[in-house]
Amino acid sequence: MLEKFYPDLQADRVQDIDLDFLVKNNIKGLILDIDNTLVPEHVEEADENTIAWIDKVRKMGFRVCIVSNASEKRVIKFNNKLNVDFIHRASKPSCKSFVKAMEIMNTKASETAVIGDQIFTDIYGGNKVDMFTILVTPIDKREYFFVRLKRIAEKFVLAKMKNKR
């Protein structure tokens, strides 16, 4: 039952993800969350680390699409220096935005990885569409109250996952 919340891979940061492993496994498109995945929630624009990493993944041939539950204004401002495709107010974990991102990137589910910091939005949403899912450690401890509540449940699910594996 809880397996639908389990990521296929975990990493401390997006920069720690083995991109060669993704290439070897026929991953062609990356769906990325913003807040606490690429930058802390309070950072409005892409920082130098994010810009360099996005540049690296593009040079390796990956297609990129940001899928965020944030407002259009937030996503546009963040994306200003990146200039990648994006979907705002995505209503994750709804499948609709993940499917739309695949259409934008012209990829199949088996060729797409979802990278995010939350198992109940990013990982669960990607798993519902049979994508490869990668959970990264949240960048910042400062989060909205509702997200902090979800983190308690996430710890339970991740502990169950470790025991199972």
Side-chain angles (χ1 to χ4, degrees):
M1 167 101 178
L2 290 177
E3 289 82 7
K4 60 188 168 192
F5 299 109
Y6 295 175
D8 294 304
L9 189 68
Q10 288 182 266
D12 285 333
R13 313 172 303 144
V14 293
Q15 291 86 352
D16 296 331
I17 296 168
D18 184 347
L19 298 174
D20 291 324
F21 172 82
L22 297 181
V23 169
K24 288 176 189 168
N25 284 278
N26 201 36
I27 300 297
K28 297 176 181 174
L30 302 178
I31 293 176
L32 304 172
D33 179 46
I34 297 174
D35 293 327
N36 258 347
T37 298
L38 295 174
V39 295
E41 286 181 10
H42 64 277
V43 173
E44 294 182 359
E45 296 182 6
D47 61 13
E48 292 305 315
N49 287 331
T50 301
I51 294 167
W53 188 76
I54 295 289
D55 188 46
K56 178 180 178 179
V57 299
R58 284 173 145 172
K59 285 179 180 171
M60 289 182 72
F62 291 102
R63 296 174 204 124
V64 178
C65 186
I66 291 171
V67 176
S68 175
N69 285 345
S71 69
E72 181 177 22
K73 180 180 176 184
R74 160 76 169 129
V75 178
I76 288 173
K77 184 162 187 150
F78 177 81
N79 191 36
N80 188 42
K81 295 177 184 173
L82 299 175
N83 197 31
V84 298
D85 291 314
F86 68 87
I87 298 169
H88 66 282
R89 294 225 186 274
S91 300
K92 294 183 288 184
S94 169
C95 297
K96 186 177 178 182
S97 294
F98 292 100
V99 170
K100 184 176 178 184
M102 284 190 295
E103 289 171 2
I104 290 169
M105 295 187 296
N106 193 30
T107 59
K108 301 173 193 165
S110 62
E111 301 171 329
T112 308
V114 178
I115 303 170
D117 69 298
Q118 292 190 49
I119 62 173
F120 297 120
T121 55
D122 308 303
I123 303 309
Y124 178 52
N127 284 343
K128 288 193 325 183
V129 189
D130 294 322
M131 296 177 178
F132 190 84
T133 54
I134 304 170
L135 180 67
V136 295
T137 304
I139 294 171
D140 195 353
K141 298 270 186 227
R142 289 179 286 174
E143 295 179 303
Y144 294 110
F145 177 74
F146 184 68
V147 174
R148 288 195 320 261
L149 286 178
K150 288 194 294 184
R151 296 288 184 206
I152 296 167
E154 281 187 356
K155 285 180 185 176
F156 169 78
V157 172
L158 293 172
K160 289 285 189 188
M161 180 184 79
K162 284 183 183 178
N163 287 337
K164 193 160 194 146
R165 291 184 178 168

